[in-house]
Every structure is written in C-alpha cells, then in structure tokens.
Amino acid sequence: MKTVLITGAGGGIGKLTSLHFAKNNWTVIATLLHTNEGEDFKDIPTIFCYQMDVTSSESIAMASEKILENHPKIDTVINNAGMGYRSFVELSEDEKIDTIVNVNWLGVVKICRAFIPTFRKQKFGQFINITSVAGLVNLPLGNFYHSTKQAVESFSECMAYELLDFNISVSTV
C-alpha cells in the first residue's frame, strides 16, 4: 500500500483529496491545523491525522518525527495547505500579507525541506505542490494570492532540477 501525506487536509481540496486516496487503497497522512478538523476521518482506518502548522518549523519538526515513527515510508507529499487574501495594495495589512506568504509559499518550502531527507534515504518520492491558475494569470485585488502561487510555481520548477538525480519528482497542480 502506498502512503501519501497531505497538508491542509481539514477542509476543501485537502479533505476531498484525502478521502479520494483512502478510497483508492492508499494510506493517508492527513495533516491538520487543528485536530478537530479530522472528525470526518475518524471511521476511515487508512487515514491517520496529525496536527501540523505549516508556518511553524517547530510544529513541522514535531509532527514529522511522529509521522515518520509511524509511517517510515512516504511515497508522495501533497502540499495543499493554503489560503486567500484579496486587497488593494494600498489598503493591505502587514499581518495578513505575512500570513498568506507564510502559509502559501513558505509552508511549501518548509514541508519540502522536512521530507527531502526521507525521500533521499528511500531513493524515491514525489512532491505535488498545489498552486493555482492564479499563479499564471493575474486579476485585480489578487496581488498577494497570485504572487504566492507564482512563487510556488517557480520554487517547484527549481526544486525539480535539484532533486532529479535522486529519483524525487516535483509537480504542480
């Protein structure tokens, strides 16, 4: 059975993706910002929930240690955790800008950094980084969301070259 780790699995695309993989005989490691977000998974024996904040290196380190103790082989990591923020640049708020950058872009960077050693040790692995058409097409008021998704696109392409010789693939969706 293959194993997938999905960030931001508590709702939306992450939740549906977790359920899809579980129905298709994968072991799912569902990471959640808050443990109560995993209530819909409690009766599914192949979904394992772990609390993880993708903006916190400490939280990622603690969760990844527990995850790897229980699931020493991970085939795929799906960086799905994300959020939106729409505002005129002039009216934007520092705290909201920091949050979207930390979740949408730096969260991807930190999760990849945490699991590259596991993939290198295994001699295989796959990162799937969820971006958006908004990373390629820009619209009014989308400055911050669009730019974080473009950053994930660029980061993923660069990382794909870096990891190619280690049998680690990087894709964006």
Side-chain angles (χ1 to χ4, degrees), residues 34-165:
H34 306 286
T35 52
N36 64 338
E37 295 172 334
E39 284 297 311
D40 292 337
F41 302 145
K42 68 180 177 192
D43 295 326
I44 304 172
T46 58
I47 298 181
F48 301 88
C49 296
Y50 294 86
Q51 187 170 1
M52 180 193 293
D53 177 353
V54 300
T55 68
S56 166
S57 296
E58 182 179 312
S59 174
I60 293 167
M62 288 181 357
S64 62
E65 183 178 331
K66 290 177 191 173
I67 289 166
L68 292 170
E69 281 176 17
N70 297 323
H71 309 276
K73 180 183 78 72
I74 298 174
D75 297 279
T76 303
V77 170
I78 300 177
N79 279 302
N80 166 74
M83 61 171 294
Y85 174 52
R86 297 178 59 79
S87 177
F88 291 102
V89 173
E90 180 181 13
L91 302 175
S92 60
E93 300 172 40
D94 288 350
E95 185 177 326
K96 290 183 179 180
I97 295 168
D98 291 344
T99 300
I100 194 169
V101 169
N102 285 330
V103 173
N104 290 7
W105 181 61
L106 289 175
V108 172
V109 172
K110 290 177 180 187
I111 294 296
C112 289
R113 191 173 59 191
F115 287 95
I116 288 171
T118 299
F119 285 172
R120 284 181 57 149
K121 183 178 173 185
Q122 295 174 171
K123 300 185 186 323
F124 71 91
Q126 177 183 35
F127 289 105
I128 299 173
N129 298 328
I130 304 299
T131 65
S132 170
V133 70
L136 306 172
V137 178
N138 299 298
L139 299 169
L141 302 178
N143 303 299
F144 307 105
Y145 182 77
H146 292 273
S147 60
T148 60
K149 292 303 182 176
Q150 179 57 54
V152 172
E153 290 281 345
S154 295
F155 172 77
S156 298
E157 185 174 344
C158 292
M159 193 173 67
Y161 293 121
E162 182 181 318
L163 299 175
L164 184 64
D165 290 340

Side-chain angles (χ1 to χ4, degrees), residues 6-27:
I6 302 171
T7 66
I13 294 170
K15 180 178 177 179
L16 293 175
T17 303
S18 297
L19 294 169
H20 172 79
F21 275 93
K23 286 179 188 173
N24 286 280
N25 300 316
W26 283 61
T27 297

